[in-house]
Amino acid sequence: MNTIPLSILVLYYSRHGATRKLAELIAQGVDSVPGAEARLRTVPSVSSVAEATAPSIPDDGAPYVDADDLAECAGLALGSPTRFGNMASSMKYFLDGTAAEWVNGTLSGKPAVVFTSTGSLHGGQEATLLSMMIPLLHHGMLLMGLPYTHPELMNTASGGSPYGATHWAGVDGKRAITEDERALSIALGRRLAMAALKLHEGQ
């Protein structure tokens, strides 16, 4: 008997591609768990021109997220580059528009993780992760991080945090993802998918 895999939404905003690479690794971790399937989605950039609108389909990368993606997901991985120790305005703008999901409890009780990339090693990674957690708590989501059973957390000289997956992208955004960052991102995706499956089985 074939069963439909649980959809795990990996939602990100990426300006130069570093956060997108993390999202793809987290999706890889999700897809490695039998019974779970990653759904990669992004959000449009916020324009400084009031009349400007984004195309309905991005030029490349994942499709834009919509209400169905939120309703159908069994778990959420949320990612953004850091902007002065906070999530990017494009992600904040999207989250500010989820009042209907908040009223309806669409995301309540679902597990969630967060991830980010920064231009400098101490560029506000943990503050950015925490900023993304706040609206997810208001939605009633069950937040998860990375435990120190992953040795990469203790040994990393690049990204990696118990609050979520991170990447030190460099000022030009071109620093390659390290093996520690890669391992922790995949582990975070697996952890999210496994939690979603356990919660689903308990319903």
Side-chain angles (χ1 to χ4, degrees):
M1 179 178 177
N2 292 327
T3 58
I4 299 174
L6 291 184
S7 175
I8 307 298
L9 180 58
V10 182
L11 177 60
Y12 68 92
Y13 173 71
S14 187
R15 185 70 182 271
H16 301 294
T19 309
R20 174 180 168 180
K21 290 175 183 175
L22 282 183
E24 290 168 348
L25 287 169
I26 290 169
Q28 182 179 328
V30 169
D31 288 336
S32 72
V33 177
E37 182 176 71
R39 184 184 298 191
L40 276 166
R41 293 291 186 268
T42 189
V43 298
S45 295
V46 172
S47 174
S48 59
V49 181
E51 294 82 9
T53 58
S56 57
I57 300 174
D59 293 332
D60 62 354
Y64 292 133
V65 67
D66 61 27
D68 288 342
D69 294 319
L70 295 174
E72 294 168 5
C73 77
L76 170 66
L78 187 71
S80 168
T82 188
R83 296 291 185 266
F84 302 104
N86 207 326
M87 75 180 93
S89 58
S90 297
M91 184 58 73
K92 180 66 164 58
Y93 182 83
F94 168 76
L95 290 170
D96 284 348
T98 58
E101 285 76 18
W102 172 70
V103 169
N104 294 327
T106 301
L107 298 173
S108 182
K110 297 178 181 181
V113 300
V114 290
F115 58 100
T116 191
S117 62
T118 54
S120 60
L121 184 56
H122 301 288
Q125 290 186 351
E126 292 182 350
T128 301
L129 295 176
L130 292 170
S131 78
M132 288 188 287
M133 290 180 183
I134 294 170
L136 300 186
L137 286 168
H138 278 261
H139 275 285
M141 301 200 80
L142 308 176
L143 292 175
M144 302 170 51
L146 283 163
Y148 275 89
T149 51
H150 297 286
E152 295 87 358
L153 277 182
M154 193 65 74
N155 300 326
T156 181
S158 51
S161 162
Y163 306 106
T166 66
H167 169 50
W168 174 23
V171 176
D172 60 2
K174 295 181 180 179
R175 283 182 62 94
I177 289 180
T178 66
E179 284 304 310
D180 287 338
E181 292 171 339
R182 181 180 184 277
L184 290 169
S185 298
I186 292 172
L188 189 64
R190 284 185 55 84
R191 186 169 166 80
L192 175 61
M194 291 172 67
L197 285 167
K198 287 180 180 178
L199 287 168
H200 182 74
E201 290 167 1
Q203 291 178 353

